[in-house]
Amino acid sequence: MSHPVTGTSLLQGNKLEFFIDGVEIVRGIDMTLHKGELVGLIGPNGAGKSTLLRLLCGIENATQGNVLWQGENLSGITLEQRAKMMGYLAQGARAQWPVTVERIVELGRLPYQGVWQRSNDTDKAAIEQAMHMAEVTAYRNRIATTLSGGEQTLVMLARIFATQPQVIFADEPVATLDPYHQLHVMELLRAHAQDDNAGVVVLHDLELAARFCDRLYLFQHGKIFASGSPSDVLTQENLRAVYGIETRIGCSEDGVNVTLVRRICEGHP
Amino acid sequence: MKRFLATNPFALLLLLAVVTALCFVGALHTGPAHISILKGFADRFNDSLSIEQLILWDVRLPRALLALIIGATLGLAGAALQGLLRNPLAEPGIVGVSNCAALGAVIVFYFGLTQFGWYILPAGGLIGAFLSVIIIFILAGKQRNIVSLILAGIAINAIGSALIALALNFSPNPYAMQEIVFWLLGSVSNRSLQDVWIILPFTAIGWGMILYCGRLLDALTLGEETAHSLGFDVKKLRWIMVIGVASCVGAAVSVSGTIGFVGLVVPHVLRPLVGYQPRRLLVVSALGGAILLLLADITVQVLSHGGEMKLGVVTALVGGPFFLYLILRTRNYWS
């Protein structure tokens, strides 16, 4: 499934560093995102994956280094413009008021609407299309907070599709979902990351990362330990060094298979 | 009916606007004297002095206008803060503005400054309200977290209450003390049109700032980070909203004293009718607040014989138990 890395660079992070209260969370990371690819960020808890994701889409500003969007510094692009180009799926994203599914998806059109404006025909068409893509049209009138976790994640993805962004940033979108919904969410992200679009996804499931991502970045202690195609990154040596686990790596027509065997040492890392 | 109103935003607005207008007219007709309101208006424009004109323009109109403006302010500010904090139990007092506005007014009473002009009292209230916002800015301004803003508000609130208590403790004479206590209870009686004019600019600016941030409240339905990713400068807009709330609530409190529960109960009751959409709730809640305060003020006048019951006492008496009922009824829903 891996494409050769020849696409045009869409997003580039240069020497990114990020501190919180003097603690360095991200320590000098360089990374690139090309058109048409889905890039996976993997690594242990607290390795800096989610923080890097937020730096890349501009929710946090890097303490050092910069992010370039098609060669232009991201900090020079207005929030409104960024909102149309990038969609962000927060970790465990849930609606905070009991509003309808359709209304949640409609919020994806906010970047296109002025202060006093309501949804016009273009917005409505985009909302319909987004609900159709994420297959949530059937429960458009249900209250979002009463849906299952998997359904709510799909609704949030539909909200992002309604914005029609070029890049989707998803922070552990499948963490608490059943296998059916895990595959559904990953298939949607994969399908979006074609042509001029792209995606960055933080994952814990190495199997899904191998199946769906074109390239992986493996993180350890705020730095990139390894990067490249899934078969280059997901090696027994890398996983032992970063996670402290023993694995069996296999190969099948689905790509790389990772079997988790056991922990190697206690008190890791 | 509920469903019809939720899917037809203008039907609900129209309904509330009509009820507000009816309540306003009702308030103009309420009072010990039976006068012709139309004659009062006609005499004003004919420049002929009559008892109807005096009662209407010096007593009834200021009272009804203040109930309208202050009710709308409290309803709007309550809806804004509940949306901003995504908490149905938030109310204007939570950012510390009400108490500091009250403190400003109490200081005016304490030093007997009212003798220097009718505008000193509302001015004191407004200064108190804005000082509280500046202090909250200093305490929580650099923080991204909304919790630090609330905690700063609670602290300011407590300090405001303490200083009011101090003023009562050392009040120069029993008369001044009674004046302060009565004023604190909250009322819109015995005010003049001048009071309306002095608070109108501040309330109008506050309303404008809150409504300007309406889209932010909708975006916040998805959480702060997602709102940011949708193009909203959450930190900046949040301050615009808090300053807007301070401006209109501060102005309201500076004329009426503290009137509780309107900002808490009104958005809470009307929220299901707008499908829980925070932006649509704003104007709806403003109209609801105006209706509630007009009705409460009519009730106060109808029930009062001899010693007048204060408006703030009625809203608290009715609002408290009603709110308890709401919490019990929706307990399972919010947990």
Side-chain angles (χ1 to χ4, degrees):
Chain A
M1 204 171 223
S2 305
H3 302 282
V5 184
T6 51
T8 336
S9 161
L10 195 55
L11 195 71
Q12 204 177 344
N14 297 316
K15 299 190 174 57
L16 291 170
E17 296 194 22
F18 187 71
F19 293 82
I20 296 175
D21 296 332
V23 180
E24 198 165 17
I25 309 292
V26 169
R27 310 165 175 233
I29 286 182
D30 292 302
M31 74 157 286
T32 344
L33 179 69
H34 303 95
K35 284 182 181 172
E37 58 172 9
L38 184 62
V39 165
L41 310 182
I42 56 174
N45 291 328
K49 310 178 294 291
S50 299
T51 307
L52 179 69
L53 194 76
R54 288 208 292 271
L55 293 178
L56 289 176
C57 64
I59 288 179
E60 304 273 8
N61 292 321
T63 319
Q64 294 280 319
N66 58 27
V67 178
L68 300 180
W69 171 270
Q70 299 189 324
E72 193 182 341
N73 202 324
L74 192 63
S75 54
I77 305 175
T78 64
L79 276 177
E80 290 84 355
Q81 276 177 296
R82 286 189 226 166
K84 292 177 195 171
M85 309 180 308
M86 305 174 174
Y88 174 71
L89 182 60
Q91 198 171 331
R94 296 287 178 267
Q96 313 217 349
W97 292 111
V99 294
T100 62
V101 166
E102 187 170 356
R103 179 62 194 152
I104 293 282
V105 179
E106 192 181 2
L107 292 177
R109 298 304 293 175
L110 278 174
Y112 297 90
Q113 295 167 352
V115 173
W116 312 109
Q117 224 174 327
R118 298 186 166 274
S119 293
N120 59 25
D121 290 344
T122 318
D123 295 324
K124 282 177 183 143
I127 293 162
E128 291 299 326
Q129 198 197 351
M131 288 195 295
H132 178 73
M133 281 165 73
E135 299 175 31
V136 297
T137 317
Y139 31 91
R140 61 193 301 165
N141 291 322
R142 298 251 325 258
I143 301 299
T145 43
T146 63
L147 299 174
S148 75
E151 289 165 335
Q152 291 196 51
T153 306
L154 291 174
V155 171
M156 290 300 165
L157 260 183
R159 188 270 301 168
I160 291 174
F161 290 149
T163 313
Q164 298 167 338
Q166 227 176 321
V167 182
I168 292 179
F169 298 86
D171 196 350
E172 294 187 27
V174 298
T176 56
L177 308 190
D178 61 47
Y180 178 88
H181 284 105
Q182 290 191 9
L183 285 171
H184 193 174
V185 168
M186 290 310 295
E187 282 167 12
L188 286 171
L189 289 174
R190 178 70 261 176
H192 173 266
Q194 308 287 343
D195 305 322
D196 278 350
N197 296 344
V200 184
V201 53
V202 174
L203 286 172
H204 274 308
D205 190 314
L206 302 176
E207 193 96 27
L208 288 177
R211 282 277 319 270
F212 287 94
C213 296
D214 299 307
R215 281 192 303 127
L216 297 177
Y217 286 89
L218 177 60
F219 283 72
Q220 187 185 34
H221 306 317
K223 287 183 179 162
I224 293 170
F225 185 86
S227 66
S229 70
S231 56
D232 291 340
V233 172
L234 297 174
T235 62
Q236 285 181 329
E237 296 73 36
N238 282 348
L239 298 180
R240 185 185 302 127
V242 170
Y243 289 98
I245 56 171
E246 193 183 310
T247 51
R248 266 196 297 279
I249 308 292
C251 210
S252 72
E253 55 192 274
D254 298 323
V256 184
N257 298 117
V258 183
T259 311
L260 308 178
V261 182
R262 61 183 177 87
R263 293 183 300 150
I264 290 173
C265 53
E266 288 181 21
H268 172 85
Chain B
M1 179 69 179
K2 211 168 172 179
R3 192 170 175 84
F4 173 77
L5 290 175
T7 45
N8 292 275
F10 296 108
L12 180 63
L13 280 177
L14 191 69
L15 179 71
L16 288 171
V18 169
V19 175
T20 308
L22 289 175
C23 289
F24 186 76
V25 173
L28 288 182
H29 282 89
T30 308
H34 293 280
I35 59 160
S36 160
I37 296 303
L38 287 177
K39 184 168 185 303
F41 278 109
D43 286 348
R44 174 76 170 201
F45 296 111
N46 297 336
D47 246 359
S48 63
L49 197 64
S50 70
I51 192 75
E52 283 88 354
Q53 190 217 317
L54 280 176
I55 290 179
L56 179 66
W57 289 85
D58 290 347
V59 180
R60 304 241 178 125
L61 201 56
R63 186 166 186 161
L65 278 174
L66 283 174
L68 180 83
I69 293 170
I70 293 166
T73 293
L74 295 175
L76 182 68
L81 286 171
Q82 291 180 7
L84 191 64
L85 306 178
R86 281 150 288 148
N87 187 332
L89 301 181
E91 60 122 13
I94 208 169
V95 285
V97 178
S98 307
N99 261 352
C100 287
L103 176 65
V106 165
I107 289 171
V108 170
F109 279 123
Y110 184 83
F111 292 106
L113 301 176
T114 38
Q115 58 181 313
F116 298 113
W118 57 270
Y119 54 85
I120 299 281
L121 185 60
L126 279 169
I127 290 169
F130 280 102
L131 277 180
S132 75
V133 173
I134 291 167
I135 296 170
I136 293 170
F137 244 117
I138 294 167
L139 288 178
K142 284 184 190 147
Q143 300 289 320
R144 200 191 183 118
N145 197 337
I146 189 93
V147 177
S148 55
L149 195 154
I150 300 171
L151 290 177
I154 291 172
I156 302 295
N157 230 339
I159 294 168
S161 309
L163 292 176
I164 290 173
L166 183 73
L168 286 173
N169 200 157
F170 288 107
S171 67
N173 58 61
Y175 178 72
M177 186 162 164
Q178 193 186 28
E179 201 179 21
I180 292 173
V181 171
F182 266 36
W183 186 85
L184 282 174
L185 290 178
S187 170
V188 288
S189 63
N190 299 324
R191 309 299 199 261
S192 69
L193 274 181
Q194 286 168 322
D195 285 314
V196 177
W197 302 136
I198 195 172
I199 67 164
L200 201 55
F202 296 99
T203 46
I205 290 168
W207 294 351
M209 289 169 86
I210 290 172
L211 293 173
Y212 175 79
C213 299
R215 294 165 75 243
L216 169 73
L217 297 185
D218 274 357
L220 281 176
T221 303
L222 301 168
E224 293 196 9
E225 286 188 341
T226 308
H228 188 279
S229 79
L230 281 169
F232 293 89
D233 189 340
V234 176
K235 213 172 148 188
K236 188 184 90 185
L237 290 170
R238 184 195 292 154
W239 277 117
I240 293 180
M241 200 150 226
V242 170
I243 293 169
V245 167
S247 177
C248 61
V249 173
V253 171
S254 69
V255 163
S256 69
T258 44
I259 296 174
F261 285 100
V262 177
L264 189 66
V265 171
V266 169
H268 202 88
V269 173
L270 294 174
R271 184 169 287 115
L273 296 183
V274 294
Y276 292 84
Q277 296 176 36
R279 173 160 58 152
R280 277 188 52 202
L281 183 61
L282 290 175
V283 178
V284 165
S285 186
L287 290 170
I291 292 169
L292 182 64
L293 213 56
L294 283 165
L295 285 178
D297 198 41
I298 291 172
T299 313
V300 162
Q301 295 179 67
V302 171
L303 291 183
S304 293
H305 295 288
E308 190 185 296
M309 203 164 171
K310 297 288 183 188
L311 187 54
V313 178
V314 173
T315 60
L317 273 177
V318 178
F322 183 64
F323 192 63
L324 189 63
Y325 160 74
L326 282 178
I327 291 174
L328 291 177
R329 204 188 59 177
T330 57
R331 183 164 46 179
N332 298 328
Y333 199 83
W334 293 109
S335 60

